[in-house]
């Protein structure tokens, strides 16, 4: 019989792994919202935001933006610069979501 604490930790790690995989699926030159990630892994947008904040820097966390196109402010506010380096189009301080947001089938 498994330990409930171990089961909970394994479940949380599974969700974290799913979030990292969802973030990695966003191609360079595109963005997704925290809500998009939440829908993929079946959690709420706020939980998706916390999970994206926990994933390793090897996943392109900067490609995940708020619903209004505002880049993340974590990692010393470098998301906007990283997005611009990938050719992401901005309208003022926000990503042009009608052009840059991924579409899911």
């Amino acid at each position: 019989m498994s330990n409930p604490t171990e089961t909970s930790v394994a479940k949380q790690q599974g969700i974290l792994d799913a979030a990292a995989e969802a973030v990695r699926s966003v191609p360079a030159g595109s963005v997704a919202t925290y809500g998009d990630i939440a829908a993929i892994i079946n959690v709420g947008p706020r939980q998706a935001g916390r999970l994206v904040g926990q994933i390793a820097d090897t996943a392109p966390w900067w490609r995940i933006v708020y619903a209004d196109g505002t880049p993340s402010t974590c990692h010393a506010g470098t998301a906007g610069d990283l997005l611009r380096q990938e050719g992401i189009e901005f309208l003022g301080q926000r990503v042009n979501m009608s052009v840059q947001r991924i579409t899911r089938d």
Side-chain angles (χ1 to χ4, degrees):
M1 187 167 172
S2 66
N3 179 327
T5 301
E6 289 174 2
T7 302
S8 178
V9 169
K11 183 178 179 182
Q12 185 64 22
Q13 185 61 49
I15 293 170
L16 184 59
D17 291 345
E21 184 60 32
V23 169
R24 285 186 194 97
S25 76
V26 179
S30 297
V31 299
T33 67
Y34 291 104
D36 294 332
I37 299 301
I40 293 168
I41 63 173
N42 199 31
V43 299
R46 288 180 189 256
Q47 185 178 5
R50 285 191 299 274
L51 290 165
V52 170
Q54 293 176 28
I55 61 174
D57 287 344
T58 57
W61 57 268
W62 58 90
R63 295 181 189 149
I64 313 306
V65 299
Y66 293 98
D68 68 356
T70 302
S72 172
T73 56
C74 63
H75 294 82
T78 57
D81 291 338
L82 292 167
L83 290 168
R84 285 181 181 90
Q85 289 173 17
E86 290 187 357
I88 296 291
E89 182 180 321
F90 278 72
L91 297 172
Q93 297 300 309
R94 296 179 179 162
V95 171
N96 184 345
M97 297 298 281
S98 64
V99 173
Q100 305 297 161
R101 187 175 184 182
I102 61 167
T103 56
R104 297 273 180 204
D105 296 329

